[in-house]
Amino acid sequence: MITLKSSHEIDLMRRAGKITAAARALAGEMVRPGVTTQEIDSAVEHFIRKQGAVPSFLHYNGYPASACVSVNDEIIHGIPGKRVLQEGDIVSVDVGAYIGGFHGDCAATFACGKISPEAQDLIDVTRQSFFEGIQFAKEGHRLFDISAAIQTYVESHGYSIVREYVGHGVGTAMHEAPEIPNYGHPGRGPRLLRGMTLAIEPMVNAGTAAIKQMPDGWTVKTLDGKWAAHYENTILITDGEPEILTAPAI
Ligand code: MF3
Ligand code: CO
């Protein structure tokens, strides 16, 4: 069942979303050579708690940190640790904050110092695929219209969509119905209705779509070792343009 949020619940989700977006921005500012991934995680946790919120990911299914920090060929769910970021790395940071009974969830891939044009293009295409997708995120469309638009855009740039992980509804639980694949057929899937709150999150590989799971039980890498990027926002379906609940403040 896909929940429809009331206007009061939407206000609560706006508050969770603002904090989540600000935590992502803070993480992005910290991405530079010499910083460890656990320093980013600590700053994210501290910031979220200072806002009176709780990190959504901490202890979720046993996850040991507040942020996911995934570097280069790591696609998602990288566990922060002693890894020192290097010039030229690309760093995907995924964060969630819970406050007032609701979650925000967002992610982005950041450049560490000067990166290659190829890496920048991967980041740019991944981010833009989100915006291509949400052109269809409004009442009257169907869910997989979003999915298809993301897939078409990404594949037209020669990149691959990760299939094993998908976007999702978000609200009182971090993962609610529906699942939102980043591939699919237009005209299919549930009808979109105002009040739905969705986390749309393309995960894009520069090489093939194949992934491998690391022995830590969390980190997901590309099988071919080529790099990957991730971009995610929590959005609200309205009768007009979608509202991005995790939009950057400026
Ligand atoms: N944004 C990710 C998701 O939607 C975050 C989950 S990481 C976890 O699934 F550690 F919390 F599982
Ligand atoms: Co998510």
Side-chain angles (χ1 to χ4, degrees):
M1 189 202 54
I2 305 176
T3 59
L4 302 180
K5 276 72 176 180
S6 68
S7 63
H8 176 61
E9 291 170 328
I10 289 165
D11 276 339
L12 294 171
M13 287 206 60
R14 286 192 180 105
R15 179 163 57 134
K18 276 207 177 81
I19 295 168
T20 312
R24 173 181 56 186
L26 168 75
E29 284 163 19
M30 286 184 70
V31 170
R32 57 192 139 71
V35 172
T36 67
T37 56
Q38 77 193 3
E39 286 168 336
I40 295 172
D41 180 66
S42 300
V44 164
E45 175 169 9
H46 184 82
F47 175 80
I48 289 172
R49 292 198 191 279
K50 206 177 60 186
Q51 306 305 310
V54 173
S56 301
F57 300 176
L58 188 62
H59 309 315
Y60 178 85
N61 289 340
Y63 187 71
S66 298
C68 301
V69 185
S70 309
V71 183
N72 299 343
D73 62 330
E74 297 172 350
I75 308 166
I76 49 165
H77 299 173
I79 301 175
K82 296 189 188 318
R83 181 174 186 156
V84 180
L85 297 179
Q86 310 287 323
E87 180 98 23
D89 285 347
I90 63 171
V91 183
S92 299
V93 182
D94 193 343
V95 296
Y98 180 72
I99 185 169
F102 289 86
H103 293 273
D105 187 6
C106 68
T109 303
F110 299 99
C112 183
K114 191 172 161 42
I115 64 171
S116 71
E118 292 78 13
Q120 188 63 53
D121 187 68
L122 175 65
I123 290 173
D124 293 345
V125 168
T126 303
R127 182 179 183 281
Q128 185 59 30
S129 74
F130 165 87
F131 290 98
E132 298 293 323
I134 67 164
Q135 290 183 26
F136 298 91
K138 56 178 76 159
E139 242 179 21
H141 288 287
R142 286 180 182 267
L143 186 66
F144 299 163
D145 294 343
I146 302 174
S147 311
I150 292 171
Q151 179 181 17
T152 300
Y153 185 78
V154 165
E155 291 180 350
S156 76
H157 286 263
Y159 300 140
S160 304
I161 293 286
V162 171
R163 292 176 176 250
E164 290 83 350
Y165 294 87
V166 296
H168 50 93
V170 52
T172 58
M174 184 167 65
H175 293 141
E176 298 185 348
E179 291 195 348
I180 310 173
N182 296 299
Y183 58 90
H185 296 283
R188 302 199 199 163
R191 286 186 190 282
L192 297 174
L193 298 172
R194 70 187 81 180
M196 290 179 177
T197 45
L198 307 174
I200 310 288
E201 51 176 319
M203 289 149 271
V204 176
N205 292 354
T208 71
I211 64 164
K212 62 182 172 196
Q213 187 72 56
M214 291 297 103
D216 65 18
W218 283 100
T219 311
V220 180
K221 288 194 190 185
T222 63
L223 187 63
D224 62 12
K226 295 189 176 171
W227 290 8
H230 185 198
Y231 189 73
E232 175 180 27
N233 282 305
T234 300
I235 68 164
L236 168 70
I237 302 296
T238 76
D239 56 347
E241 293 306 308
E243 181 177 332
I244 300 179
L245 299 175
T246 52
I250 43 159

